[in-house]
Amino acid sequence: MRVLVVEDEVNTREFVARALREAGHKVEAVASGRDGLLLASSEPYDLLVLDRMLPQVDGLTIVRTLRASNSNVPVLILSALGEVDDRVAGLRAGSDDYLIKPFALTELLARVEALLRRPRVAQDHGEATALRVADLELDRLKRLVRRGERRIELQPKEFALLEYLMRHRDQVVTRTMLLEGVWDYHFDPKTNVIDVHISNLRQKVDREARPLIHTVRGVGYRLGLDAN
Ligand code: CA
């Protein structure tokens, strides 16, 4: 498998790259976040191993940027930041796994193998670009949304918001997740931008149908058949 390692600390970079090569993978290793993002955006890797704290562009920004451009390449974050909040931030940014430094080589390799075994949910190139929840269907490539037989016209941000909610079906999605995942804001702009878009989406998606978009009071939203 083809693996990209992005790590600014030279010893860790060489150690990880060597271990992955010995495990039979084709490995490229770079030191800067900018090079990492550039390569990850242009080359078809099977897995990224990203250090979190990197010069220029940090690991989480790389993952967010890739996810925003609909890449679903598996990502393993390496980080010295091991608190629960740090791990949650890493996973919420779109990474698939999070390994805390210092780590045992055997654990790194086991996690890499597990990620490579996992079936990719939607391929970057081709099939499975459609998401479906009950009778609601969203086709990412055709930019098409339907509820049953009814075709729904959405503005670009509404489309991105609905796609985000459908990708996280049956999960509570917080306002922070939406701001980061849909608007790419890493701060709270203190506006009602989310409320306005959710309200518009409800008008279009849930009109004359069983409601799929639910408010989780004080937290955010959940898309699914059940209200809780
Ligand atoms: Ca680092």
Side-chain angles (χ1 to χ4, degrees), residues 21-225:
R21 280 190 193 111
E22 284 169 0
H25 302 295
K26 186 172 183 305
V27 180
E28 281 147 84
V30 294
S32 86
R34 198 167 51 195
D35 291 345
L37 180 55
L38 210 64
L39 278 173
S41 313
S42 53
E43 299 290 324
Y45 293 102
D46 298 298
L47 176 74
L48 307 183
V49 178
L50 295 182
D51 182 30
R52 176 157 175 182
M53 289 192 281
L54 290 164
Q56 297 159 348
V57 182
D58 68 276
L60 297 195
T61 304
I62 295 177
V63 188
R64 279 195 201 100
T65 309
L66 291 171
R67 296 303 184 236
S69 59
N70 289 323
S71 162
N72 68 343
V73 61
V75 175
L76 171 63
I77 297 266
L78 301 177
S79 178
L81 302 174
E83 299 299 320
V84 172
D85 286 352
D86 299 315
R87 295 199 305 262
V88 168
L91 295 169
R92 283 208 172 136
S95 68
D96 300 276
D97 202 357
Y98 198 98
L99 188 57
I100 296 154
K101 294 177 177 177
F103 50 85
L105 194 52
T106 47
E107 183 173 8
L108 171 74
L109 291 174
R111 286 175 185 253
V112 162
E113 299 314 321
L115 286 172
L116 289 173
R117 269 200 310 273
R118 197 184 284 180
R120 306 268 283 268
V121 179
Q123 293 301 326
D124 298 343
H125 36 72
E127 321 79 47
T129 57
L131 299 169
R132 176 183 278 276
V133 177
D135 59 346
L136 174 64
E137 198 181 335
L138 176 146
D139 190 313
R140 200 151 57 71
L141 283 191
K142 297 183 189 147
R143 309 297 292 179
L144 194 76
V145 178
R146 282 182 198 283
R147 181 91 199 249
E149 294 296 300
R150 181 167 60 91
R151 171 86 183 264
I152 299 172
E153 300 292 341
L154 297 179
Q155 300 298 318
K157 274 294 173 215
E158 294 166 358
F159 188 94
L161 176 59
L162 184 63
E163 180 181 349
Y164 193 93
L165 291 168
M166 290 179 78
R167 285 196 183 284
H168 296 80
R169 64 175 297 176
D170 298 322
Q171 299 168 28
V172 177
V173 170
T174 66
R175 298 175 62 86
T176 306
M177 288 165 78
L178 291 176
L179 286 172
E180 294 200 352
V182 179
W183 278 271
D184 206 25
Y185 289 165
H186 304 298
F187 58 95
D188 188 341
K190 307 283 182 203
T191 68
N192 62 352
V193 60
I194 293 180
D195 311 76
V196 169
H197 281 78
I198 287 280
S199 165
N200 291 343
L201 259 191
R202 279 191 164 131
Q203 296 270 341
K204 295 179 178 182
V205 172
D206 283 347
R207 179 165 47 98
E208 295 161 20
R210 183 170 169 185
L212 291 176
I213 302 169
H214 310 284
T215 301
V216 182
R217 201 167 293 282
V219 184
Y221 302 92
R222 183 200 287 107
L223 186 144
L225 268 180

